[in-house]
């Protein structure tokens, strides 16, 4: 049964997106554990079980070359428009890779019964000298998808998850 249809314009052309309803299959058993995720720059995700997931999709060499070629074209010319179209297609490919990687990470993490993340201010990381690292990673996409999951618990910004102060150690 069709629910919705939309015409979508992408860099590679026009597409029709159909939304259908299909009976839900039996889902896999969830792992009855709680897992915590720490966002970082050197390793994008560190899970509380010690597993580290690198999630970096850098700009391709082809994109850099196409951007150089576009810069040499006269604005408004036919060749400039062709170059713009090629650059958009390459960006779309990179976006597709990032979306695929984010979906795979979220699917892996959501196998656990409860997922705990800290409310990281990823936008602030740009000004802290980690701009390209954040831009080339899928941190924001994974965070947004995890926030939509009902089994995700979000800790506040001020909760000391990485370090405990010396006073707290003495009290414990």
């Amino acid at each position: 049964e069709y629910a919705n249809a939309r015409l979508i314009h992408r860099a590679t052309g026009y597409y029709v997106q159909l939304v259908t309803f299909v009976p839900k299959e039996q889902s896999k058993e969830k792992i009855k554990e709680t897992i915590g995720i720490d966002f970082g720059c050197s390793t994008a995700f560190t899970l509380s079980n010690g597993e580290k997931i690198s999630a970096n999709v850098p700009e391709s060499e082809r994109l850099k070359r196409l951007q150089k070629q576009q810069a040499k074209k006269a604005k408004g010319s036919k060749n400039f428009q062709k170059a713009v179209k090629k650059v958009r297609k390459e960006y779309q490919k990179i976006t597709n890779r990032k979306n695929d990687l984010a979906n795979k990470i979220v699917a892996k993490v959501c196998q656990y019964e409860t997922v705990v993340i800290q409310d990281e201010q990823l936008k602030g990381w740009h000004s802290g000298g980690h701009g390209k690292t954040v831009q080339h990673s899928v941190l924001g996409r994974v965070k947004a998808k995890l926030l939509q999951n009902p089994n995700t618990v979000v800790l506040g910004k001020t909760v000391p998850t990485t370090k405990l102060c010396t006073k707290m150690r003495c009290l414990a």
Side-chain angles (χ1 to χ4, degrees), residues 55-81:
N56 189 15
V57 181
E59 291 181 347
S60 64
E61 293 299 320
R62 183 173 195 272
L63 176 64
K64 293 176 186 176
R65 184 174 34 88
L66 289 172
Q67 287 175 330
K68 285 179 186 176
Q69 288 174 359
Q70 179 187 347
K72 294 177 183 177
K73 309 289 183 199
K75 282 191 177 181
S77 67
K78 291 262 188 188
N79 286 333
F80 182 81
Q81 295 303 322

Side-chain angles (χ1 to χ4, degrees), residues 40-168:
C41 284
S42 58
T43 57
F45 304 100
T46 305
L47 306 181
S48 58
N49 61 8
E51 185 178 350
K52 295 183 179 189
I53 301 172
S54 178
N56 189 15
V57 181
E59 291 181 347
S60 64
E61 293 299 320
R62 183 173 195 272
L63 176 64
K64 293 176 186 176
R65 184 174 34 88
L66 289 172
Q67 287 175 330
K68 285 179 186 176
Q69 288 174 359
Q70 179 187 347
K72 294 177 183 177
K73 309 289 183 199
K75 282 191 177 181
S77 67
K78 291 262 188 188
N79 286 333
F80 182 81
Q81 295 303 322
K82 289 178 189 177
V84 167
K85 190 172 182 180
K86 287 180 182 178
V87 169
R88 285 184 183 159
K89 280 185 181 182
E90 193 62 27
Y91 269 119
Q92 186 65 47
K93 288 179 185 178
I94 293 171
T95 301
N96 291 342
R97 284 188 211 121
K98 286 181 180 181
N99 287 336
D100 181 54
L101 185 58
N103 288 335
K104 287 177 181 176
I105 291 170
V106 170
K108 181 177 184 171
V109 170
C110 286
Q111 291 176 349
Y112 290 90
E113 190 173 41
T114 308
V115 179
V116 180
I117 63 172
Q118 188 171 9
D119 188 18
E120 298 284 350
Q121 298 299 314
L122 298 176
K123 189 173 183 179
W125 290 12
H126 282 279
S127 61
H130 302 290
K132 285 216 177 201
T133 307
V134 175
Q135 179 184 349
H136 294 216
S137 70
V138 294
L139 294 171
R141 293 168 201 255
V142 171
K143 179 184 171 188
K145 288 175 189 260
L146 286 175
L147 290 176
Q148 293 175 352
N149 185 7
N151 297 334
T152 301
V153 177
V154 180
L155 299 176
K157 300 176 232 176
T158 58
V159 177
T161 57
T162 308
K163 297 179 183 177
L164 292 174
C165 67
T166 55
K167 291 180 184 178
M168 293 297 286

